Amino acid sequence: MPNDAATPPSRPDRLHHDWHTRLSHAGRAGTHAHGFVNPAVHRGSTVLCPDIATRQAGGAKRLQQALVYGTLGTPTHWPLEDVIAEIEGGTRCQVVSTGVAAFTVPLLAFLATGDHLLMPDSVYGPARQFADHFLTRMNVATTYYDPMLDAAGLRALLRPNTKVLYLESPGSHTFEVQDVPALAAVARAHGAKVMIDNTWGLHFFQPFAHGVDVSIQALTKYAAGHSDLVLGAVVTNGDAEWERVRSTTLLLGQHASPDDCWLALRGTRTLAVRLDRQMQSGLTVARWLAARPEVKQVLHPALPSCPGHEFWRRDFSGACSLFGVVFRPEFSRPAVHAMVESLALFGIGASWGGFESLVLPTNGFITRTAGTGDFGGETVRLHIGLEEPADLIADLERGLGVMRAYVARGEDA
Ligand SMILES: *Cc1c(COP(=O)(O)O)cnc(C)c1O
């Protein structure tokens, strides 16, 4: 039975094939699917065993890809886990119910009562809420640090009980790119685990080549790619980290729907081509916005105007199509909201990574406590989908006209 082995699936082609090729060949169903290219959706709880010895042998392999019980994974989960591990350059992946669970599980796996956690001020809102409203009840203290912190700055924040350095690069909504290798090296020397929310970086940032221990993915975004499911993944690169993550997942009763895993696996087959196009379209729109008189700053990691752009250049092989725009201070919040509501091709909504473009006002909606994240103007976040960029630009041009007219009428005076 393929994959029912104690050793991680080997990926001999990793170094030899381009990732477009690997996405077509990684995590294939093998003999599970009776010769069909794709795996079946295995929905199930009970796994029947031919005898008691088989049942006991299965139970002993709970931490592996073994057919024991529905909550422990199925031949529908495994191919997706193999593809995600492949994308991130790790050895093992655990799929979980949501992107939120993809950070709550490893935080609970590596933190205990009395520990200290470091989180960037730019962290995804629900991760901050988990630290503030749940980890505090475990007597875990969190310090929010400036995402642009350097190694010396990090050393000054470390405490004897600092057990996890959490990174999110680029940061949610404001896109600061962090000096991951420098920060990870300091944390590791201190004996702390290094975790990164790599949802934006995906394949373009290889976390384990930059000193990270645990990588977090909201598969909800580009991996799924069609705005039709929620799912998360935790990827590790060492046996000790794997066993902690895997056993914590099982103890918490985390489970990912087989139907959603099947859809997400299907999404990964076109991930590279979607990202190729979305990267180019995102850059086209971001560069057009950067040249507009209404725009103060574009927060796109691949443009020099983004904090940490030098780290993006050094550490990333590409960019996805999510970025921020800061408007000049004369454009008030109501004026920016009028622009947002006037757009025809951009939906107003959370999440990203689908085939469709989105817009979301960000300041006023984000929490910062370390004094970072004020760019001196109203901000919006754009997600560029698979539409023709010229159509998106025409829509934005009309929208900027609405914003200028709003201010000219003095409606917000
Ligand atoms: C969306 C998102 C998550 C959470 O994913 P869900 O599947 O919506 O729970 C986590 N991290 C980042 C950076 C995200 O954008």
Side-chain angles (χ1 to χ4, degrees):
M1 201 159 39
N3 287 333
D4 189 9
T7 49
S10 68
R11 301 188 187 87
D13 292 342
R14 176 178 292 168
L15 299 175
H16 304 294
H17 291 306
D18 179 83
W19 88 299
H20 290 76
T21 308
R22 301 206 315 269
L23 282 179
S24 292
H25 289 268
R28 289 276 283 267
T31 56
H32 284 306
H34 307 286
F36 289 105
V37 173
N38 294 302
V41 180
H42 290 272
R43 315 186 106 269
S45 51
T46 302
V47 177
L48 297 174
C49 298
D51 51 44
I52 294 165
T54 309
R55 163 87 193 127
Q56 279 172 336
K61 291 199 287 188
R62 290 164 56 81
L63 302 185
Q64 316 301 336
Q65 291 179 336
L67 273 176
V68 181
Y69 185 62
T71 57
L72 274 65
T74 68
T76 309
H77 295 86
W78 302 334
L80 175 65
E81 291 178 336
D82 290 349
V83 171
I84 302 302
E86 174 81 30
I87 289 172
E88 293 217 85
T91 50
R92 285 289 179 99
C93 168
Q94 172 70 53
V95 288
V96 289
S97 56
T98 62
V100 166
F103 58 77
T104 61
V105 165
L107 285 170
L108 289 170
F110 292 100
L111 288 167
T113 299
D115 286 349
H116 177 232
L117 163 68
L118 285 165
M119 273 197 168
D121 205 24
S122 52
V123 75
Y124 176 65
R128 178 187 284 270
Q129 287 159 24
F130 184 69
D132 291 349
H133 301 293
F134 192 101
L135 294 178
T136 46
R137 281 158 45 197
M138 284 169 57
N139 195 24
V140 170
T142 303
T143 302
Y144 293 97
Y145 63 87
D146 180 343
M148 300 317 295
L149 194 73
D150 63 8
L154 175 60
R155 268 188 217 101
L157 292 179
L158 288 172
R159 302 179 189 170
N161 59 340
T162 304
K163 291 292 163 56
V164 172
L165 171 68
Y166 193 96
L167 307 161
E168 187 179 325
S169 177
S172 267
H173 298 297
T174 44
F175 301 95
E176 299 91 338
V177 185
Q178 300 192 259
D179 189 354
V180 175
L183 300 175
V186 170
R188 284 185 155 213
H190 188 72
K193 291 290 175 200
V194 181
M195 290 179 198
I196 191 166
D197 185 328
N198 196 36
T199 302
W200 193 100
L202 201 61
H203 159 79
F204 299 131
F205 181 75
Q206 292 287 292
F208 305 106
H210 293 90
V212 169
D213 296 301
V214 178
S215 184
I216 291 151
Q217 277 289 339
L219 301 182
T220 309
K221 309 292 163 56
Y222 288 98
H226 297 74
S227 308
D228 52 5
L229 62 93
V230 286
L231 203 63
V234 190
V235 181
T236 58
N237 201 35
D239 291 346
E241 287 79 13
W242 166 254
E243 284 172 21
R244 269 291 183 92
V245 165
R246 173 72 172 162
S247 60
T248 305
T249 304
L250 300 182
L251 289 169
L252 289 171
Q254 265 295 326
H255 179 62
S257 147
D259 297 277
D260 291 341
C261 289
W262 189 90
L263 276 174
L265 179 66
R266 183 178 163 121
T268 63
R269 301 305 182 194
T270 55
L271 177 60
V273 282
R274 284 187 282 112
L275 276 173
D276 284 349
R277 169 151 175 115
Q278 284 175 279
M279 168 164 37
Q280 291 313 324
S281 300
L283 278 166
T284 301
V285 175
R287 290 198 179 107
W288 180 83
L289 281 164
R292 291 292 307 193
E294 300 89 348
V295 171
K296 180 166 186 265
Q297 189 175 0
V298 175
L299 303 173
H300 189 306
L303 298 185
S305 53
C306 190
H309 166 70
E310 64 274 25
F311 305 129
W312 177 84
R313 276 183 79 95
R314 187 190 63 192
D315 299 338
F316 285 65
S317 60
C320 70
S321 63
L322 185 81
F323 60 92
V325 182
V326 186
F327 292 101
R328 292 195 182 280
E330 57 266 35
F331 297 102
S332 64
R333 188 164 300 174
V336 171
H337 287 189
M339 180 275 291
V340 164
E341 289 178 350
S342 77
L343 297 174
L345 296 177
F346 291 80
I348 302 172
S351 203
W352 39 282
F355 54 85
E356 82 292 10
S357 291
L358 295 170
V359 60
L360 200 64
T362 44
N363 52 357
F365 299 91
I366 57 176
T367 305
R368 295 299 185 99
T369 53
T372 71
D374 182 0
F375 292 90
E378 291 295 313
T379 54
V380 299
R381 186 180 77 178
L382 291 180
H383 171 257
I384 304 303
L386 292 169
E387 302 93 334
E388 167 57 41
D391 292 336
L392 297 175
I393 286 173
D395 196 25
L396 289 167
E397 190 161 22
R398 274 192 301 273
L400 294 178
V402 168
M403 192 172 82
R404 283 195 311 275
Y406 193 101
V407 169
R409 284 198 305 273
E411 280 185 29
D412 50 337

